[in-house]
Amino acid sequence: MTAVVFSAGGMFAAWEAGVWNVLHHRVRPDVYIGASAGSWNAWLLASGMAPADLIGQWLDPASHRLLRVGWHRASLFSPGPLHEKARDIAERFHPLAPVALTMVEVPRMRVRLVRDAEITWRHLAATCSIPFCFPPVRIDGRNYVDGGLMGALPLWAAEELGATRAIAINAWNKLPFRLLFRAIGRRPGRGLEVFRIEPSRDLGSLASSLRWDERNIREWIALGEEDANRVASSITM
C-alpha cells in the first residue's frame, strides 16, 4: 500500500503542487495524507482534481484573501476567508480515494488523525489554523489548530493507515524547524519505506510562507517541477 504525504508549509505548499504535477504520472497512491496546507492538496487530489488544476488553485489571486490581517482575539489574521475557503472545497470536492489529515487539539497538544467521511469543512479549516495567526476551530466541544504544529510531515499517519511505502513531499525543510519537529513530532517505525522529496533551494522566509505573491508562487511551482524531474526516474512505486 502506497501513501503520498504532503507536508505543512503555508504558501510553500505551491511547491508541492509543482512536484505532484510531475510525479503523478509515476505514482498511483492508495491514500492521500496531509498536514496544514498539505491537507488541502491531499483533499483536492483525492477528489480527482487534475494536478494542473491544483496549480491553478495556488495561482488564483483569491488566495491572497486567506491571509487578510484582521483582529480576532489573539490571532493576526481574520478567520473568515480561511473558513469560507474550507467550506467551499468541502462542498465542491468529494474524495474518490482515501484521504486523511492531521490536527492538534489545544491546550492538550494531542495530535488527531481524521480521515475520509469524518472530514468536514471545520477539519479542513482547523488543520490550517496556524497558532496566533488564526484562532482555534471548535469541533465537538474541543479546540483544534494546525496539524503541522506537532510535526510538519506526518509519515506516522501513513503507517497507521496501513501503508508500507510513502512518497514524502516535504516543503517545510528549513533547518530550525526540521530540528524542532524531529524533537516533538511522532516518527514512523522501520516498516515504512520512504522516498523523500524536498526543495533543492531555500523557498524563502517564514514571512514569505504567509503571504500570497504571484511571482513567488510561480517560482515555487517551477522549482517543484524541477526537483521532481530530477528524481522521477528513481521512483518505482
Side-chain angles (χ1 to χ4, degrees):
M1 179 177 174
T2 299
V4 59
V5 184
F6 295 95
S7 79
M11 290 295 168
F12 291 164
W15 171 87
E16 299 174 357
V19 170
W20 195 247
N21 194 39
V22 172
L23 292 189
H24 79 280
H25 296 295
R26 292 180 170 271
V27 182
R28 292 292 182 269
D30 299 294
V31 60
Y32 296 81
I33 300 169
S36 193
S39 293
W40 287 16
N41 283 341
W43 177 269
L44 293 170
L45 291 171
S47 299
M49 177 174 281
D53 292 334
L54 180 63
I55 285 175
Q57 289 280 318
W58 287 103
L59 286 170
D60 184 355
S63 298
H64 177 73
R65 295 198 297 269
L66 295 177
L67 300 170
R68 186 179 66 195
V69 174
W71 180 254
H72 184 276
R73 299 177 189 172
S75 64
L76 176 63
F77 300 118
S78 168
L82 178 73
H83 291 188
E84 181 182 343
K85 181 66 174 180
R87 285 192 187 95
D88 179 63
I89 65 174
E91 292 172 0
R92 292 176 55 204
F93 302 98
H94 305 282
L96 305 172
V99 61
L101 59 81
T102 62
M103 311 182 303
V104 176
E105 182 188 343
V106 289
R108 299 174 67 184
M109 300 302 287
R110 186 172 69 175
V111 181
R112 179 180 170 190
L113 180 65
V114 190
R115 60 180 301 186
D116 303 323
E118 294 180 272
I119 300 172
T120 69
W121 77 264
R122 291 184 179 276
H123 298 92
L124 290 166
T127 190
C128 290
S129 293
I130 305 167
F132 306 112
C133 291
F134 296 102
V137 177
R138 196 156 183 83
I139 303 172
D140 297 329
R142 297 181 178 181
N143 292 323
Y144 294 94
V145 297
D146 194 314
L149 180 61
M150 296 295 290
L153 185 68
L155 287 170
W156 61 268
E159 191 170 47
E160 187 166 308
L161 294 177
T164 55
R165 300 173 296 178
I167 300 290
I169 302 178
N170 184 27
W172 204 242
N173 68 336
K174 299 175 79 66
L175 184 60
F177 296 100
R178 182 197 295 270
L179 296 175
L180 175 63
F181 294 139
R182 185 174 297 173
I184 65 176
R186 292 175 58 180
R187 300 183 188 181
R190 295 183 178 181
L192 185 68
E193 178 187 0
V194 179
F195 191 98
R196 189 184 295 259
I197 304 172
E198 297 182 337
S200 57
R201 298 195 298 273
D202 189 355
L203 296 180
S205 65
L206 175 61
S208 65
S209 75
L210 298 175
R211 182 179 66 250
W212 187 89
D213 179 277
E214 183 176 357
R215 180 178 176 181
N216 283 344
I217 295 292
R218 290 188 182 277
E219 288 182 356
W220 295 335
I221 291 169
L223 180 61
E225 293 173 338
E226 179 183 321
D227 291 335
N229 276 314
R230 186 179 298 113
V231 301
S233 62
S234 62
I235 296 179
T236 58
M237 296 183 183

